[in-house]
Amino acid sequence: MNEYINLDLENIEKEHLCCAIGDKKHQEGVNAKKEWLKQRIQEGHVFRKLNAKGKIFIEYAPLKKAWVPITGQNFMYIYCLWVAGSFKEKGYGKELLEYAIQDSRAKGKSGICTITSKKKKPFLSEKNFFEKYGFKVVDSIGEYELLALTFQGEPPKFTETARKMQCDTTDFTIYYSPECPYTLNSIREIEEYTKVQNIPINIIKVDTLEKAKNVPCVFNNWANFKDGQFVSNTLLNKNSFEKLIQ
């Protein structure tokens, strides 16, 4: 039987976070994520990973406390389900998702949901994997879809604010949160590049639940706006940012 670990306040300091294993440039982001997790764990957030050195984990939380612009009664929300590299095609994703579904039922939830897209996008799970377990599209904004496995009651939906998909400035704008260990290094690279190139930019840190629930777009941990319009959920570095603005 595969051995899994759920992070808690007792083991979080000694356990790795799967995403940025051993990469020193992301250590600041790992530290920020752990501090964020310490608060979220007390709210019912679950970070479950394979006891191995690799990217094999699922992360989910009560939707009411999840940092996403989605509303719903008594649902769970899956932030991320990731199985990478040599660990693919070995049943780990199946075991992690089934655990989250069973845990949601055991906790008396009305269902469990996640954000996907019509076509595969970076940092979002694949739609067809969830559909195998009975998840259905319950709401959508453009190419982005909200999938839910509903046990009872009404399914969740995106907030009206999220449907705007635009912001109030024409300067390139990035919304980001500490939910992902990669975001801080990405922000540092972009800040340095735009300063040297004298490019106006608006960087907004989503650091409270209220801000996350009211982001003016589909949001999981990062969002890009160009000329006031949402363009992607993809994390950027110096090179990808330069390509995007051109």
Side-chain angles (χ1 to χ4, degrees), residues 117-150:
S117 54
K118 294 177 182 178
K119 293 183 179 180
K120 183 70 177 77
K121 293 182 180 294
F123 299 96
L124 292 179
S125 298
E126 294 187 18
K127 174 182 176 181
N128 60 3
F129 178 75
F130 287 90
E131 289 180 322
K132 293 176 183 177
Y133 293 86
F135 283 72
K136 299 182 183 302
V137 177
V138 294
D139 201 358
S140 63
I141 300 177
E143 294 183 348
Y144 295 88
E145 297 180 322
L146 179 60
L147 292 187
L149 177 61
T150 304

Side-chain angles (χ1 to χ4, degrees), residues 167-187:
C167 62
D168 297 329
T169 176
T170 56
D171 292 343
F172 197 97
T173 298
I174 296 173
Y175 284 81
Y176 79 99
S177 79
E179 190 269 320
C180 175
Y182 292 124
T183 59
L184 287 189
N185 185 69
S186 295
I187 290 297

